[in-house]
Amino acid sequence: MFQYNYSMKLINVKKLHSSGITFIGVMLILFTILLTQCNNPEKIQMSKAIFVGRESCIECHEDEYHSWKGSDHDLAMDTATDETVLGDFNNAEFERDGFVSKMYKKDGKFYVHTRGPDGKPGDFQIAYTFGFRPLQQYLVPFEDGRFQCLQITWDTDRKCWYHLSDSIHQGEVIKPDDWLYWTNNGQNWNGMCAECHSTNLKKNYDPETHIFHTTWSEIDVSCEACHGPSSEHLKWAEIPEEKRTHDNNYGLVVQTSTISSDQLIGQCAYCHARRSSFEDFIHPRKEIFDIMGPQYPVEPYYHVDGQILEEDYVYSSFVQSKMYMNNVRCTDCHDVHSLKVKYEGENKLCEACHVKADYDTYQHHFHKYPGEDGKPIVLNNGERVIDVGEGSKCINCHMPGGYYMGVDFRRDHSMRIPRPDLSIELGTPNACNSQCHTNETAKWAADFTEKWYGLKKRPQFGEPFSKALSGDVSSVGDLTGIVVDKLNPPIIRAAATRYLGQYPSQKSYDVIIKMLNDPNPLLRDEAVKSFPVTAWNDYVSYLSPMLKDSVRLVRLSSSSALSAVPAEYIDSVIKINLDRGISEYIEVMNYSADFAASRHNLGNMYSNLGDLKKAEENYKEAIRIDNLFYPAKINLAMMYNKAGDNEKTEILLKDVIRINPELPDTYYSLGLLMAEKGDYEAAAGYLQKASDLMPDRPRVHFNLALTLQYLKRMPEAKEAFLKAYNLDPDNGDYISALVGFCLERNNKTEARKYLLNWINLHPEDKSAQEMLDRIDEK
């Protein structure tokens, strides 16, 4: 029912009277306004817009429809039919690991005979096709509303079957109980894939029953996937043209014109990013970080210099580029409906912005053009030939790529200058050696780039990132410089903030405090996550305002961080905001509760809140979903240890070591546990392993030394004490234990030496001087 808001249309009656307009005239004007409002398109209620399907769009947008038709969005998913299935289901066979799978048709439907749940052979019907080029996958329905992605995949270029694991998980044996096995959660369509291949996708996962009720309005990525539900736009289109206004975005929920580059990129980012999801993606928001958190371009998902390594889906590569920093957006290069690049041919796309006379020249790239005399590069005994002229193409030097899912070549959208010098220093790839001259060394390529372009090189964030990863404290200065320099891409500044938080100091503390107020939500979010706990009062004082941040990404991190604060430090006003934030956090984690990581996060939250029953339930659920997800096992073990259940603690920690023998902290935790249980021989073994794996951790050596001392293994104990002392000579625990150890062995000379070193560092320590005096007296 129409309601007119008089407060929006106030009329100055006194001014009208002064103009000779009567009361009756005023009433006529008001009536006219009311009548106009009743027929005005502002009555369109976009909040009530519903999805109506692409067929409603074609009449007015025929050109856009035909451009979209046949695109990767159009072919993202479909029902399995003779027209849509590209793979060979004519009794085709595929052998792997000694088992022959068979693809066949029966009664007009498509089937595969292969190993299923628990590794047992079975026949499974194909319900949907997934993707179109250069590969097509197939979805198999299971109970509980699940659809699983068959790993036997069709290569649409070579026209043959292949197994995805052979390219993605080379050398690994994916067993039926592995999260990655095709009938388990790692290959689950509902949670892993669906939201970006269909329109108006609602996952509808029930965390209690583990059942999916997934729905969509259109099976592929159609008009409303980007433009939002369009029922109100149809109403707007029915209004006579002379009565339309354009201040309501034509009745469309999503604004796609006259928006910033960041806003437009955000509309693509939800699907074209490696990220965590906070809720169903029904249509883009003005703030993308209200519905997702992006993966930063850091190890192990990217090379240390930000180049693509694992699947990245473009976003976190592109937003570290110079193009992004100069407001280049997706649609500058790609047609929004066909998705194709706007210009085909030699460098034409790049030359839309970059002057041909400056960049498309031999003096810039130092490579021959197609058709010039020269010899092609022949690699792998003739399996790969790189023709003359390929080196003159911009994308081959500035957008190198790699193969994903076995056959899908994807280019790196960070659009960088090749740096073979960094390959030498950091072990990162470069376009020269990784794309073309694979038979040459990085030194060979670096010599040429130095010859062509000179010695001067720009600093690159990969250098301090590499130092930070190796534990080099000297990286703090460079990391600080990256964080505070607004000329750096925000996502790189955020990544630098994360590394900076690993090196607590007054300098890093001051920078992190400053980033809490940065305009970019990625910086604020990482500042919250990296904020050091020095004193609870300061921690609460700085982080509690972030509970009211305008962006959900920041609120989630703030709520998680502050949930661990003891209740006495949270006043009643902060508690209101924190309770609201915790509820939002739990809601978001329940949305993705089909993932082990989200269940683990819920376990941590309930543990912080003191609800140990719910914490245990969620940790166990994380382990059920993915038995290899060790963080849940470790945190559950720590919870059992606090509760005094050391038997369960021991079982879990030993299981982690069995599956992940490379994790040093687990050996350390197990060593401390065994010492607590009184099994000092076992404790010494685990602590020794931890000491070997973590040679730079003095506390590990110290606890090993105490255990060995108890076992009367004195030479080994002394060696461990000295390792701890040499790593941290300013630690009172270490010097006290070492001096005591020496005196017990009646080695006054060494005891005196260590005491003198300590007194030189701490001349105010009277007890140390008194001990030295007593030694000298004897």
Side-chain angles (χ1 to χ4, degrees):
M1 182 176 178
F2 173 75
Q3 291 182 323
Y4 177 67
N5 186 351
Y6 287 91
S7 65
M8 300 296 289
K9 296 286 184 179
L10 293 178
I11 295 175
N12 190 326
V13 178
K14 187 173 182 180
K15 183 176 180 180
L16 291 176
H17 273 296
S18 68
S19 302
I21 300 178
T22 65
F23 175 77
I24 294 175
V26 171
M27 294 306 296
L28 284 172
I29 290 172
L30 284 171
F31 176 76
T32 302
I33 291 172
L34 285 169
L35 187 63
T36 303
Q37 291 295 320
C38 289
N39 292 285
N40 195 293
E42 288 181 5
K43 71 178 182 179
I44 291 172
Q45 300 179 49
M46 287 186 282
S47 63
K48 295 185 178 180
I50 61 173
F51 288 82
V52 294
R54 60 175 168 266
E55 298 302 321
S56 303
C57 308
I58 299 173
E59 181 181 353
C60 297
H61 303 285
E62 188 174 0
D63 288 344
E64 289 81 2
Y65 169 78
H66 287 298
S67 179
W68 167 86
K69 189 69 175 173
S71 68
D72 287 350
H73 279 176
D74 176 25
L75 302 172
M77 181 174 167
D78 217 327
T79 303
T81 67
D82 288 335
E83 290 73 31
T84 61
V85 172
L86 302 179
D88 180 6
F89 280 81
N90 188 25
N91 295 318
E93 294 184 343
F94 179 79
E95 191 274 332
R96 186 175 186 272
D97 294 337
F99 184 87
V100 177
S101 298
K102 182 179 179 180
M103 279 61 69
Y104 65 97
K105 287 184 67 176
K106 179 182 177 182
D107 299 329
K109 297 178 180 178
F110 298 84
Y111 291 85
V112 57
H113 175 80
T114 191
R115 287 174 174 155
D118 301 321
K120 297 176 181 178
D123 293 272
F124 305 94
Q125 184 183 339
I126 304 298
Y128 300 104
T129 62
F130 207 61
F132 183 77
R133 65 170 184 87
L135 65 143
Q136 186 175 70
Q137 289 184 270
Y138 301 95
L139 303 183
V140 175
F142 283 86
E143 60 184 9
D144 298 335
R146 295 174 177 272
F147 286 88
Q148 298 296 132
C149 298
L150 188 68
Q151 291 291 277
I152 301 171
T153 307
W154 183 251
D155 183 333
T156 61
D157 290 333
R158 294 187 298 160
K159 310 295 185 198
C160 65
W161 294 103
Y162 73 102
H163 201 285
L164 279 179
S165 292
D166 290 335
S167 55
I168 302 175
H169 309 292
Q170 291 179 356
E172 296 182 41
V173 177
I174 309 299
K175 297 180 180 179
D177 62 346
D178 195 314
W179 184 76
L180 293 168
Y181 187 73
W182 82 272
T183 60
N184 296 335
N185 277 45
Q187 308 302 330
N188 172 245
W189 165 85
N190 310 71
M192 294 291 293
C193 324
E195 58 193 350
C196 291
H197 281 254
S198 298
T199 301
N200 187 24
L201 195 289
K202 295 179 181 178
K203 181 166 67 171
N204 292 330
Y205 176 70
D206 187 333
E208 300 297 326
T209 64
H210 310 150
I211 293 175
F212 289 95
H213 299 282
T214 306
T215 63
W216 63 71
S217 59
E218 291 183 276
I219 197 169
D220 50 17
V221 182
S222 197
C223 311
E224 291 167 296
C226 299
H227 293 284
S230 300
S231 60
E232 299 303 298
H233 174 62
L234 296 182
K235 291 181 183 179
W236 176 88
E238 292 173 357
I239 297 172
E241 197 166 333
E242 66 276 7
K243 293 185 178 180
R244 294 176 183 169
T245 63
H246 298 279
D247 56 358
N248 62 5
N249 194 39
Y250 315 101
L252 288 168
V253 174
V254 180
Q255 187 167 343
T256 54
S257 59
T258 63
I259 58 176
S260 69
S261 294
D262 255 336
Q263 288 174 320
L264 188 139
I265 291 166
Q267 292 181 357
C268 304
Y270 185 85
C271 287
H272 294 274
R274 185 173 185 140
R275 76 287 184 271
S276 54
S277 304
F278 301 155
E279 62 178 65
D280 289 322
F281 176 61
I282 296 175
H283 56 78
R285 310 285 184 85
K286 288 184 178 179
E287 178 51 71
I288 186 63
F289 303 128
D290 278 341
I291 54 175
M292 72 95 158
Q295 169 62 54
Y296 290 168
V298 296
E299 290 189 340
Y301 306 104
Y302 294 75
H303 290 286
V304 72
D305 64 346
Q307 292 187 74
I308 56 174
L309 179 57
E310 294 196 9
E311 297 268 13
D312 90 310
Y313 309 110
V314 173
Y315 175 78
S316 291
S317 291
F318 181 67
V319 294
Q320 50 173 305
S321 72
K322 191 175 181 179
M323 306 297 123
Y324 168 77
M325 293 300 289
N326 282 277
N327 293 319
V328 173
R329 56 182 73 187
C330 314
T331 53
D332 288 330
C333 297
H334 296 274
D335 181 89
V336 292
H337 296 106
S338 71
L339 312 181
K340 296 177 181 178
V341 293
K342 289 186 171 181
Y343 306 103
E344 297 286 355
E346 307 299 331
N347 298 334
K348 287 184 179 179
L349 182 65
C350 303
E351 288 165 5
C353 295
H354 300 277
V355 178
K356 180 180 177 68
D358 291 338
Y359 295 101
D360 196 1
T361 66
Y362 182 83
Q363 288 71 27
H364 175 68
H365 52 66
F366 296 96
H367 285 77
K368 294 181 178 180
Y369 284 92
E372 289 191 85
D373 290 337
K375 293 182 179 180
I377 299 174
V378 180
L379 303 170
N380 301 332
N381 297 318
E383 289 183 12
R384 183 172 174 227
V385 177
I386 301 173
D387 293 328
V388 174
E390 288 297 306
S392 67
K393 296 178 181 178
C394 308
I395 57 173
N396 286 339
C397 293
H398 299 292
M399 294 183 70
Y403 284 93
Y404 295 87
M405 303 186 78
V407 298
D408 191 3
F409 185 78
R410 303 177 193 171
R411 292 192 178 275
D412 191 329
H413 279 63
S414 60
M415 303 180 197
R416 61 185 60 228
I417 295 171
R419 291 289 299 271
D421 59 307
L422 289 181
S423 300
I424 297 170
E425 180 184 351
L426 305 176
T428 50
N430 69 84
C432 311
N433 297 121
S434 63
Q435 298 294 297
C436 298
H437 302 282
T438 58
N439 56 337
E440 302 289 355
T441 66
K443 175 68 167 55
W444 173 89
D447 288 343
F448 270 105
T449 56
E450 181 181 317
K451 175 184 175 182
W452 294 336
Y453 306 110
L455 283 169
K456 189 176 181 180
K457 302 287 191 302
R458 295 178 181 176
Q460 211 275 343
F461 60 82
E463 296 165 289
F465 282 11
S466 179
K467 287 183 179 180
L469 286 167
S470 66
D472 189 341
V473 181
S474 70
S475 62
V476 168
D478 288 335
L479 291 172
T480 299
I482 292 171
V483 172
V484 300
D485 188 351
K486 294 183 178 180
L487 294 178
N488 289 318
I491 201 166
I492 299 303
R493 295 173 63 206
T497 303
R498 175 179 298 181
Y499 289 129
L500 190 62
Q502 298 173 9
Y503 297 93
S505 66
Q506 189 61 49
K507 186 175 185 179
S508 62
Y509 184 60
D510 291 341
V511 172
I512 289 171
I513 288 174
K514 185 178 179 180
M515 290 307 106
L516 289 172
N517 296 308
D518 194 272
N520 191 283
L522 293 181
L523 270 295
R524 300 198 301 276
D525 178 62
E526 203 52 52
V528 169
K529 292 176 180 175
S530 302
F531 201 90
V533 182
T534 52
W536 285 124
N537 283 326
D538 288 342
Y539 194 72
V540 172
S541 175
Y542 280 112
L543 295 194
S544 58
M546 312 307 289
L547 292 168
K548 297 187 288 184
D549 197 277
S550 61
V551 178
R552 181 188 275 178
L553 175 69
V554 182
R555 295 197 301 273
L556 293 175
S557 295
S558 306
S559 302
S560 177
L562 290 170
S563 69
V565 176
E568 59 265 29
Y569 294 95
I570 305 293
D571 65 33
S572 58
V573 175
I574 294 174
K575 188 176 186 305
I576 293 172
N577 293 323
L578 179 56
D579 287 347
R580 186 184 300 118
I582 288 172
S583 295
E584 182 179 36
Y585 183 90
I586 292 173
E587 179 184 0
V588 167
M589 290 303 119
N590 274 325
Y591 168 75
S592 54
D594 50 322
F595 285 86
S598 294
R599 289 288 195 170
H600 170 254
N601 291 341
L602 283 169
N604 292 343
M605 174 58 75
Y606 285 120
S607 179
N608 290 343
L609 297 177
D611 192 338
L612 301 187
K613 182 179 179 182
K614 284 190 176 180
E616 181 182 21
E617 288 173 0
N618 280 282
Y619 286 139
K620 285 183 173 180
E621 232 349 86
I623 297 167
R624 183 195 66 81
I625 292 170
D626 183 3
N627 188 48
L628 301 181
F629 189 79
Y630 65 82
K633 294 181 182 180
I634 292 174
N635 282 7
L636 180 58
M638 296 302 104
M639 195 180 80
Y640 284 149
N641 180 244
K642 287 180 181 178
D645 195 338
N646 286 340
E647 295 305 318
K648 288 183 178 178
T649 304
E650 182 180 345
I651 291 170
L652 281 166
L653 292 178
K654 285 183 175 178
D655 187 53
V656 172
I657 286 176
R658 178 181 62 83
I659 299 174
N660 305 95
E662 75 284 359
L663 297 175
D665 280 300
T666 313
Y667 291 99
Y668 184 49
S669 297
L670 191 53
L672 296 178
L673 175 69
M674 300 314 289
E676 184 181 337
K677 292 181 68 175
D679 189 346
Y680 292 100
E681 287 290 351
Y686 290 119
L687 290 173
Q688 183 63 63
K689 184 68 173 179
S691 172
D692 294 340
L693 293 172
M694 298 185 287
D696 297 327
R697 291 270 292 274
R699 181 62 62 173
V700 176
H701 299 301
F702 179 66
N703 283 317
L704 172 61
L706 294 175
T707 305
L708 293 170
Q709 185 180 21
Y710 179 85
L711 293 170
K712 309 298 184 184
R713 292 159 60 177
M714 298 310 177
E716 297 169 83
K718 181 179 180 181
E719 182 183 356
F721 274 131
L722 286 173
K723 284 182 179 179
Y725 170 75
N726 289 330
L727 285 168
D728 188 4
D730 200 26
N731 186 294
D733 291 341
Y734 304 162
I735 187 66
S736 177
L738 183 57
V739 169
F741 180 86
C742 292
L743 291 177
E744 284 180 13
R745 312 275 79 72
N746 202 29
N747 191 338
K748 295 180 181 180
T749 302
E750 281 200 54
R752 192 176 188 282
K753 178 180 71 173
Y754 298 129
L755 265 178
L756 279 173
N757 288 341
W758 176 263
I759 292 170
N760 286 334
L761 291 171
H762 300 277
E764 76 286 352
D765 190 341
K766 294 181 180 180
S767 61
Q769 185 61 55
E770 290 171 358
M771 179 177 285
L772 182 64
D773 292 341
R774 287 197 298 272
I775 292 172
D776 290 341
E777 288 173 2
K778 295 178 182 179

